[in-house]
Amino acid sequence: MKRREFVEKAGMGAALAALATPARTRESARAGAQHHGPISGPLATATVSFGAWASGINRRPNLGATAGLPNNIHALIPNEVTIKAGGTVNFIIAGFHLVLVYGDGTQPGDINIGITVPPTNAALPPLIDDPTNRIYRGIDPTVLPFLQGPQQQGPIGPPLQPVLQDRVEDVHFPAPGTFLVMCGVLPHFLEGMVGYVRVVP
Ligand SMILES: [Cu+2]
């Protein structure tokens, strides 16, 4: 390696190290604040179906929809779960949904649906972006590739791509309270796609 090249690389390494140190400190401070020790038992975790594929549809080959059938159940099942502080909720997301979690006591009527972000794919609906008391904002589903049935506007995304919108997002709840969980896809929220996580001490 030439000396100049080495000096440049070493300089970049030092700069990266300097950047990394405060990030590590922040991360460990946050981890310390949320540390509850080992947590077990039936209230340590809960699983919520966040949307569900309807019985009777045929998704082969990796389609998101079947013509003429209700394809996706826009609901959180169970609608309310209880865990203890420091536990997690595993949201199993089936299809095109956005997980949003709002702080203790937030009600659906508190959400400002006038604040939205446009979808990355213009064929899709807008996403709610109200930051007030928002404690978790999930993956933007409008950037995930998927195929739609021929009766719709598809294919969207690379051909022969699996339906990557189906996924799990695992969320930690360090503090007690009753937390609103909702779909951030605007028409889904307006349909009432909301649920609750009750966190006990
Ligand atoms: Cu949804």
Side-chain angles (χ1 to χ4, degrees):
M1 187 182 293
K2 289 177 186 159
R3 184 173 181 278
R4 184 177 157 203
E5 194 178 37
F6 172 77
V7 168
E8 278 172 3
K9 286 192 174 165
M12 190 190 291
L16 286 173
L19 278 174
T21 306
R24 244 194 338 261
T25 306
R26 275 199 306 273
E27 202 167 65
S28 52
R30 184 188 297 169
Q34 297 186 349
H35 183 66
H36 288 261
I39 181 167
S40 296
L43 294 183
T45 192
T47 298
V48 173
S49 298
F50 200 95
W53 293 108
S55 297
I57 68 169
N58 178 0
R59 299 177 71 197
R60 186 181 188 279
N62 301 336
L63 299 176
T66 298
L69 285 174
N71 293 290
N72 195 277
I73 312 303
H74 294 174
L76 278 66
I77 302 171
N79 193 247
E80 181 177 325
V81 292
T82 300
I83 60 168
K84 58 185 175 185
T88 57
V89 177
N90 311 305
F91 296 103
I92 300 180
I93 297 127
F96 179 70
H97 304 289
L98 166 61
V99 179
L100 297 178
V101 183
Y102 284 89
D104 181 24
T106 306
Q107 293 298 315
D110 298 330
I111 303 301
N112 185 348
I113 58 171
I115 307 175
T116 60
V117 286
T120 301
N121 182 324
L124 298 168
L127 305 171
I128 294 170
D129 187 28
D130 182 358
T132 305
N133 293 325
R134 185 175 61 200
I135 62 169
Y136 178 77
R137 182 191 204 180
I139 287 174
D140 178 350
T142 70
V143 303
L144 303 176
F146 69 108
L147 297 174
Q148 290 188 324
Q151 81 284 0
Q152 299 186 2
Q153 296 164 347
I156 295 172
L160 305 179
Q161 192 77 25
V163 183
L164 297 179
Q165 293 185 338
D166 288 0
R167 63 197 187 275
V168 172
E169 294 185 37
D170 191 9
V171 181
H172 184 233
F173 290 83
T178 300
F179 298 86
L180 174 69
V181 184
M182 52 176 269
C183 184
V185 175
L186 181 59
H188 296 187
F189 175 71
L190 295 176
E191 286 172 26
M193 189 172 175
V194 303
Y196 296 91
V197 173
R198 201 161 64 90
V199 183
V200 297

